Amino acid sequence: MKLGVCYYPEHWSEKHWETDAKEMREAGISIVRIAEFAWAKMEKEEGIYDWDWLDRSIETLATAGHQILLCTPTAAPPAWLISAHPDILPVDEQGRRRRFGSRRHYCPNNKIYHEYSKKITRAMAERYGDHPSVIGWQIDNEFGCYFTRCYCETCTTEFQNWLQKKYASLEELNERWGTIFWSQTYNSWGQIEPYNLTVAEPNPSHVLDYYRFASDSWVDYQQIQIDALRENIPSTQFITHNVIANLNTIDYHDLSRNLDFISWDSYPTGYAEMGSQDIYAPDEKIPAYAHDLGDPLLTGFFHTLSRGLKQAPFWIMEHQTGAINWSENNTGVRPGALRLWTWQAAATGAEAVVYFRWKASRFGLEQHHDGLRKHDGSADTGYADLLTLKAESQELDDFIAQPLDTPVGILLDYDTLWAMEMQPHRKDFAYMKHLFVFYRACKALGIEPDIISPEADLGRYKILLAPNTFMADENLAQILDDFSTQGGTLMLGVRSGFKDINNVVTEEPLPGLFCELIGAKVIQWHSLPPKIVYSLQSEIPDFYPEATFWAEALEADAGTKSLANYTDFPFESSSAITEKKHGDGKVVYCGIYPELKQAKSLMRHLLASENIAMLDIPEGLTVIQRGKKLLAMNFTEKNLHLDTAFGEYNISARDFTIIEE
Ligand code: GAL
Ligand code: ZN
């Protein structure tokens, strides 16, 4: 397991550099990430480079035995560049051009910015590409942070070009977008503007294409830097980017495609405080113990999502070490947190954990953000945890040397996520919330799922969950059909097949392209307000007999079994969940939006039918199985018990136990 740290030599007097490098090594750190915001120091004025300080900094770190991860500095274009070319600044949804004075102040489509980005990237790559201690590169920093969609003049023109390439003719676009609605028919490409600033809500097909275009813009911008790097660095140096895993505005499957691996930035307490409402059901609360440890389910969900982007190990490029500065309470972190976080990350597939940051900053926005060392250079809480981790490193390495088995795949499709986000139909009907219920159901049964693109290698899974396949095309229908025909168990969730990929409703009975596959039709659907429930009767053991939130009435074809029926008005006698044999496999359609306990019963049913062993994991315990070893992590303040087929175990509060079969 590799440990690293984010370091800003430009923030500190050189007299500290050697001590810093030495103290990092003492704590088991061997990778140092530098330079992602240092453009103004590397190129003080246009074309006037100063590499001396960076040379010396790299040498100091390398001499202490560190490997260096260099970042391109394009997340922070310097003042001289912006004052010479103010059009680089992005324009927000309200049509306001944003100003210099923070970071991420550029439009990804600006051609002048492309040239400057290439120039600085090449200059860095030429200088450090053959340095024996430089192991790889991070491009930019957190694409999409603060904003993803720019609405400037360049983006308008580029959007029109993007549309022309996609649709070839205006007739085609008008047809596919359904612009006849409200007389939105276009007569020339130049009439099509970004959707912001419309009087009433815009056409969802138009919006979806703008979302896709904006996502593509970042993918293409990243490619400019990948190319500039690859031309100048050896193939032994890797290229990655650090995403915000809960962002959802960039298609991370596209973004990760040409990277050697994906990285994400994990701040468990911040995500628990700020992000839980986006992922839990409205009546659920994040667990109380999460206040200074974050919510291990939320953190784990993003680890899993990151691992699924390339179906491969990933890096944590920034990991919280103490209090952060951008949340609501910015909780102080107690001893032991960093140790548990690091074990969880490694066990879930992180190949390296890079901590943010070495020393707390004395100036700028992040003065109240902790690092491993305090402002005065003395050790902070996280540093002590690193010393514990150092002592446990062999145990950790032995654990992660075991294979990670993920028998269940959960589909993630960003286009559908966006379509759902713009027309949820029911408050709180959110794509990620729906996925999260099934993720939690798996975790509660001791199963680590993968979260993957429909284009991924699905042959690895015995069970494939598609909780929210709102948009569908023939290609996806074929992929899912093949999966079950070849022996897999497929589950489709509510609202499947409702739309085509233009964000237009299907002309077929629901679930559209999946009717034959599921062997049933959705004849009616109801959004259920709080406290309104429809009663159910199910043959699935312990299935909680009430539909809440969203219910669909299904009419099963002959040969399709009903696993659950509605028992009262208005869906009386209709099916709520169906199951059909399909080829060598089977297809389940879950016509209700399940609560966690229902998703758990359904998962138990599916896992049992595939003979996959399960556990019953108590709340607060996070279990990850690798090979014949189980890592049971207790994130609560009480001791917890775990029963397994080979014994009963006590796991101490805020601690972990490794159980071997
Ligand atoms: C990240 C960012 C870092 C730093 C950190 C603070 O989103 O990439 O540069 O600002 O947050 O938590
Ligand atoms: Zn723009």
Side-chain angles (χ1 to χ4, degrees):
M1 174 70 183
K2 292 175 269 185
L3 299 183
V5 73
C6 306
Y7 186 48
Y8 301 91
E10 69 275 22
H11 293 185
W12 305 96
S13 141
E14 274 195 54
K15 68 175 189 221
H16 295 299
W17 290 3
E18 216 178 298
T19 319
D20 288 345
K22 194 172 118 265
E23 286 170 348
M24 289 170 192
R25 294 289 294 151
E26 282 165 8
I29 285 168
S30 61
I31 298 169
V32 186
R33 181 189 77 152
I34 54 173
E36 80 273 23
F37 302 116
W39 196 340
K41 198 166 164 77
M42 291 190 268
E43 191 178 1
K44 289 180 178 336
E45 283 173 53
E46 174 149 17
I48 311 214
Y49 297 101
D50 176 4
W51 301 115
D52 290 353
W53 70 275
L54 193 51
D55 291 353
R56 287 197 302 281
S57 162
I58 291 175
E59 277 330 304
T60 310
L61 292 166
T63 307
H66 290 290
Q67 296 184 312
I68 320 291
L69 199 163
L70 274 174
C71 307
T72 67
T74 45
W80 57 258
L81 176 51
I82 297 300
S83 59
H85 301 285
D87 287 359
I88 288 174
L89 293 167
V91 170
D92 68 16
E93 203 164 338
Q94 282 74 45
R96 302 170 303 188
R97 197 169 285 284
R98 305 305 287 261
R99 294 204 172 131
F100 181 83
S102 64
R103 62 176 170 180
R104 300 220 54 76
H105 42 278
Y106 71 88
C107 162
N109 284 309
N110 186 281
K111 300 284 172 278
I112 294 172
Y113 197 57
H114 291 176
E115 291 312 308
Y116 280 97
S117 303
K118 273 187 226 165
K119 229 165 103 190
I120 187 70
T121 302
R122 279 196 196 120
M124 284 184 84
E126 277 164 12
R127 186 147 191 109
Y128 301 111
D130 58 2
H131 195 292
S133 296
V134 173
I135 52 166
W137 299 76
Q138 173 192 304
I139 290 177
D140 203 289
N141 190 74
E142 293 186 344
F143 288 135
C145 184
Y146 313 120
F147 83 96
T148 299
R149 297 158 194 140
C150 172
Y151 303 87
C152 76
E153 317 75 46
T154 310
C155 285
T156 305
T157 315
E158 287 303 316
F159 179 48
Q160 290 161 0
N161 295 339
W162 185 94
L163 291 172
Q164 277 197 54
K165 220 161 122 194
K166 176 167 179 181
Y167 295 106
S169 81
L170 267 178
E171 293 70 40
E172 182 74 11
L173 176 142
N174 281 318
E175 173 70 24
R176 296 236 241 140
W177 280 13
T179 54
I180 193 63
F181 188 81
W182 288 356
S183 237
Q184 290 163 359
T185 309
Y186 293 102
N187 311 90
S188 76
W189 296 103
Q191 290 167 350
I192 312 174
E193 299 195 296
Y195 63 86
N196 64 323
L197 299 173
T198 52
V199 173
E201 282 171 53
N203 181 334
S205 302
H206 181 173
V207 181
L208 180 60
D209 268 346
Y210 205 79
Y211 281 20
R212 287 170 168 144
F213 156 75
S215 174
D216 285 359
S217 302
W218 292 104
V219 175
D220 293 348
Y221 175 69
Q222 176 180 260
Q223 192 61 42
I224 290 174
Q225 294 202 33
I226 295 179
D227 293 343
L229 283 173
R230 272 288 158 240
E231 284 159 20
N232 295 287
I233 62 170
S235 58
T236 48
Q237 293 183 354
F238 62 75
I239 301 177
T240 187
H241 172 73
N242 58 331
V243 299
I244 303 177
N246 64 336
L247 190 74
N248 302 343
T249 51
I250 297 177
D251 186 325
Y252 286 152
H253 296 127
D254 292 343
L255 195 76
S256 49
R257 194 160 297 124
N258 291 342
L259 296 171
D260 292 309
F261 57 84
I262 197 75
S263 309
W264 84 282
D265 296 344
S266 181
Y267 292 90
T269 66
Y271 290 141
E273 257 191 21
M274 310 288 285
S276 59
Q277 66 282 7
D278 300 333
I279 200 120
Y280 276 96
D283 56 345
E284 289 178 317
K285 288 210 167 46
I286 56 162
Y289 59 80
H291 74 93
D292 85 323
L293 274 175
D295 173 1
L297 284 165
L298 204 63
T299 311
F301 182 72
F302 293 126
H303 288 322
T304 299
L305 189 152
S306 302
R307 192 185 65 236
L309 294 177
K310 287 181 86 72
Q311 290 181 298
F314 58 97
W315 278 35
I316 303 293
M317 193 53 89
E318 295 177 15
H319 200 299
Q320 177 174 0
T321 53
I324 55 166
N325 71 324
W326 46 263
S327 184
E328 281 170 7
N329 300 306
N330 296 313
T331 322
V333 168
R334 286 182 275 173
L338 196 64
R339 171 180 176 244
L340 277 178
W341 286 333
T342 305
W343 271 88
Q344 188 186 8
T348 321
E351 263 187 342
V353 176
V354 180
Y355 299 104
F356 186 88
R357 49 186 277 160
W358 175 243
K359 256 192 277 194
S361 178
R362 292 184 45 239
F363 38 72
L365 188 76
E366 294 175 346
Q367 297 168 35
H368 297 286
H369 198 297
D370 286 348
L372 290 169
R373 315 284 295 194
K374 296 182 181 159
H375 303 90
D376 65 2
S378 62
D380 211 338
T381 314
Y383 190 84
D385 266 23
L386 281 195
L387 300 177
T388 313
L389 279 165
K390 197 175 168 188
E392 292 169 350
S393 66
Q394 191 55 51
E395 201 183 357
L396 179 61
D397 285 344
D398 289 347
F399 182 73
I400 58 177
Q402 310 293 314
L404 178 64
D405 186 26
T406 53
V408 179
I410 305 179
L411 286 190
L412 164 64
D413 175 59
Y414 286 93
D415 283 9
T416 303
L417 184 156
W418 297 329
M420 189 61 85
E421 182 187 297
M422 61 189 78
Q423 288 183 303
H425 196 68
R426 188 209 192 282
K427 183 170 168 274
D428 296 312
F429 200 123
Y431 188 89
M432 282 303 192
K433 286 182 191 235
H434 204 174
L435 253 58
F436 191 54
V437 173
F438 283 98
Y439 166 81
R440 281 196 288 160
C442 290
K443 292 302 290 179
L445 298 170
I447 302 292
E448 171 68 17
D450 268 355
I451 298 173
I452 30 105
S453 148
E455 307 292 329
D457 168 17
L458 303 180
R460 300 181 184 190
Y461 310 108
K462 290 193 166 143
I463 298 173
L464 186 63
L465 308 178
N468 218 328
T469 318
F470 192 43
M471 289 205 303
D473 63 2
E474 300 281 353
N475 182 39
L476 179 65
Q478 192 60 50
I479 289 173
L480 299 186
D481 196 298
D482 289 349
F483 178 81
S484 51
T485 306
Q486 288 157 16
T489 292
L490 170 71
M491 189 220 68
L492 287 165
V494 287
R495 303 177 80 178
S496 287
F498 195 80
K499 295 218 185 189
D500 69 16
I501 52 166
N502 303 305
N503 212 0
V504 164
V505 179
T506 174
E507 266 187 322
E508 304 297 320
L510 295 177
L513 289 168
F514 304 125
C515 274
E516 225 186 286
L517 181 63
I518 72 161
K521 285 186 188 60
V522 174
I523 47 174
Q524 194 53 268
W525 70 92
H526 284 177
S527 159
L528 305 179
K531 301 203 175 73
I532 300 298
V533 301
Y534 290 175
S535 300
L536 297 166
Q537 193 177 39
S538 176
E539 66 174 61
I540 299 171
D542 299 326
F543 196 84
Y544 186 75
E546 284 177 356
T548 57
F549 202 79
W550 189 275
E552 295 181 352
L554 292 157
E555 193 178 78
D557 299 347
T560 301
K561 197 168 142 189
S562 178
L563 291 180
N565 284 311
Y566 295 97
T567 56
D568 56 9
F569 183 77
F571 288 171
E572 199 172 3
S573 79
S574 294
S575 284
I577 304 176
T578 57
E579 182 175 292
K580 185 198 138 191
K581 281 201 182 329
H582 190 75
D584 292 340
K586 62 173 177 297
V587 183
V588 170
Y589 188 91
C590 179
I592 64 164
Y593 183 117
E595 292 183 20
L596 177 60
K597 54 192 173 209
Q598 293 168 323
K600 245 173 97 173
S601 307
L602 183 56
M603 279 314 299
R604 220 182 263 120
H605 168 78
L606 301 180
L607 290 159
S609 72
E610 288 283 353
N611 295 318
I612 299 171
M614 292 168 256
L615 289 163
D616 195 5
I617 310 291
E619 216 195 306
L621 206 65
T622 298
V623 173
I624 296 168
Q625 178 160 10
R626 297 194 66 144
K628 292 199 178 315
K629 293 184 179 187
L630 285 183
L631 171 69
M633 289 178 284
N634 181 353
F635 282 81
T636 75
E637 287 167 31
K638 289 187 301 227
N639 293 351
L640 292 171
H641 268 84
L642 179 66
D643 280 337
T644 70
F646 31 91
E648 201 187 307
Y649 297 85
N650 178 53
I651 298 111
S652 308
R654 293 181 163 238
D655 202 354
F656 64 81
T657 302
I658 294 178
I659 300 164
E660 276 199 69
E661 272 179 42

